[in-house]
Amino acid sequence: MNIFKSIKRNLIKRSVIQSILEKEQHNNDVINIHRIDKKNIGDFYCAPHHYFDVLKGKSLDIFDYKSEDKEVRNHFINEISERSLIIGGGGLLNRDGFVMQMKMFEKLTTKGKKIVLWGVGHNEKSPKTYGKVSKYNIDINKFGLVGTRDYNMPGEYVPCVSCMHPIFDQKFEVKNEVGVVFHKDTLKKESITKKYQNFATSSNTTNLEDLIAFIGSSDNIITDSYHTMYWAMLMEKKVIAIPNSSKFYDFKHQPIISTFDEALHHLNEGTTYDGLLAECRESNLKFAEKAFNYLNL
């Protein structure tokens, strides 16, 4: 049964992409495409439509192309064909789940489509790639404007736009020496969660307000969530990151890299970065000005 579902899903995906590539393309207004997953707040909040009035209400889930609902698929086809596109943020590059869509966007650039890549980055799962990624799986030179969250990679460096959220202007009282934030997949691994049963813990499945308050109340953050790592650094916390993808290795300011077995040995070793929040916001504001000029918004 699963094999037949997989075959059907692949046929749907290919059909949607082919339909888009065959349609006449326009640049009427704009749509911001990213992974809209409310159960992963990093994916949810990493897109500029949350932070700029000109983009409010203009979003589309990059996974809608494989929906079993024909209306959702048709909406995806029409929005992409009619609008200019902002792709990002998130780990949309060098990741199997996004290859078909990203290759499609690359092809659309040859048909006059205006496309901005904003805060996207590589996201390879194989540990042998960690710290060694040197190229993307698309040609970013074909896109109209490119900002990537990977400091050592091609394109203008633009860290995740979630730094624009006003929640980071709050101040919190530190109550815990250590706060552990699990990625949603790690919550299923009892061998890991048990190691930290005596510590304050949270996960990237909670709401943003609670997670930021949790980070704010902790002096050291141990996490295998990319956005928790990023947000904790914005909040000037000492961060120990447990990589689950190549994306942890290309941020401008590196945290302590460790494992769940060794993380506690690195408490208080992390560097805090005064002014990082302002730096990241300035990068995004400058990029926004260029993007909106390019898209005639």
Side-chain angles (χ1 to χ4, degrees):
M1 184 64 177
N2 288 334
I3 293 176
F4 290 116
K5 284 185 72 173
S6 178
I7 292 172
K8 180 183 177 183
R9 182 69 61 85
N10 279 326
L11 288 173
I12 287 174
K13 291 189 288 190
R14 293 183 186 281
S15 174
V16 167
I17 286 175
Q18 191 61 34
S19 293
I20 292 171
L21 292 175
E22 289 176 354
K23 282 179 74 73
E24 185 175 326
Q25 297 297 313
H26 303 281
N27 291 297
N28 301 314
D29 206 353
V30 66
I31 195 79
N32 183 185
I33 304 167
H34 68 113
R35 179 70 185 104
I36 302 176
D37 181 1
K38 292 184 179 180
K39 294 182 179 179
N40 183 328
I41 56 175
D43 284 347
F44 185 74
Y45 283 103
C46 70
H49 68 87
H50 290 293
Y51 312 106
F52 296 93
D53 288 343
V54 71
L55 301 177
K56 289 289 171 67
K58 301 174 182 178
S59 62
L60 189 67
D61 190 345
I62 196 169
F63 274 174
D64 278 356
Y65 84 128
K66 63 180 181 180
S67 172
E68 294 185 2
D69 187 329
K70 189 174 181 180
E71 286 190 16
V72 171
R73 298 198 306 271
N74 285 338
H75 179 71
F76 185 85
I77 292 169
N78 292 331
E79 285 295 288
I80 287 178
S81 300
E82 286 297 318
R83 314 293 178 207
S84 296
L85 310 178
I86 293 175
I87 313 297
L92 303 180
L93 305 180
N94 301 34
R95 185 64 179 267
D96 290 347
F98 305 114
V99 169
M100 294 177 71
Q101 305 98 305
M102 297 307 299
K103 291 290 188 183
M104 176 189 71
F105 297 138
E106 183 179 342
K107 289 178 181 177
L108 288 178
T109 63
T110 67
K111 302 185 74 172
K113 179 66 72 179
K114 285 190 168 188
I115 304 180
V116 173
L117 304 183
W118 191 327
V120 295
H122 60 72
N123 192 10
E124 298 195 23
K125 293 302 286 185
S126 174
K128 67 182 181 182
T129 67
Y130 293 1
K132 300 176 183 177
V133 177
S134 59
K135 62 181 180 179
Y136 291 129
N137 62 344
I138 57 171
D139 183 357
I140 65 170
N141 294 314
K142 292 182 178 180
F143 294 84
L145 189 63
V146 177
T148 72
R149 69 185 190 184
D150 302 322
Y151 187 67
N152 296 303
M153 295 290 284
E156 179 179 350
Y157 174 65
V158 181
C160 179
V161 72
S162 58
C163 64
M164 300 301 299
H165 201 294
I167 199 168
F168 295 108
D169 295 317
Q170 296 184 38
K171 300 298 180 184
F172 300 91
E173 179 185 354
V174 174
K175 299 176 182 177
N176 304 309
E177 182 187 9
V178 182
V180 184
V181 181
F182 296 117
H183 186 278
K184 64 177 183 178
D185 293 337
T186 309
L187 288 176
K188 306 168 189 173
K189 300 175 181 177
E190 190 176 349
S191 61
I192 293 176
T193 57
K194 264 193 167 183
K195 291 180 189 295
Y196 292 90
Q197 60 186 348
N198 295 323
F199 292 89
T201 62
S202 185
S203 78
N204 67 343
T205 63
T206 189
N207 63 69
L208 183 67
E209 291 75 18
D210 287 348
L211 180 57
I212 296 305
F214 180 83
I215 294 171
S217 68
S218 306
D219 195 27
N220 292 266
I221 291 292
I222 298 172
T223 187
D224 62 339
S225 157
Y226 177 89
H227 281 93
T228 299
M229 173 196 79
Y230 176 52
W231 295 338
M233 293 175 78
L234 294 181
M235 297 172 72
E236 300 179 20
K237 302 298 179 178
K238 295 182 280 289
V239 181
I240 303 162
I242 319 297
N244 57 28
S245 155
S246 64
K247 62 190 175 185
F248 286 82
Y249 289 84
D250 244 328
F251 189 57
K252 181 179 179 180
H253 304 288
Q254 281 294 290
I256 299 292
I257 298 290
S258 188
T259 65
F260 278 115
D261 287 334
E262 298 294 326
L264 292 172
H265 298 305
H266 298 289
L267 294 182
N268 298 309
E269 292 180 8
T271 302
T272 58
Y273 296 97
D274 182 34
L276 182 58
L277 177 61
E279 175 187 321
C280 292
R281 284 177 168 174
E282 182 179 4
S283 293
N284 275 279
L285 288 171
K286 287 181 177 178
F287 189 78
E289 183 176 5
K290 284 187 278 191
F292 299 156
N293 284 337
Y294 169 67
L295 297 171
N296 297 317
L297 297 178

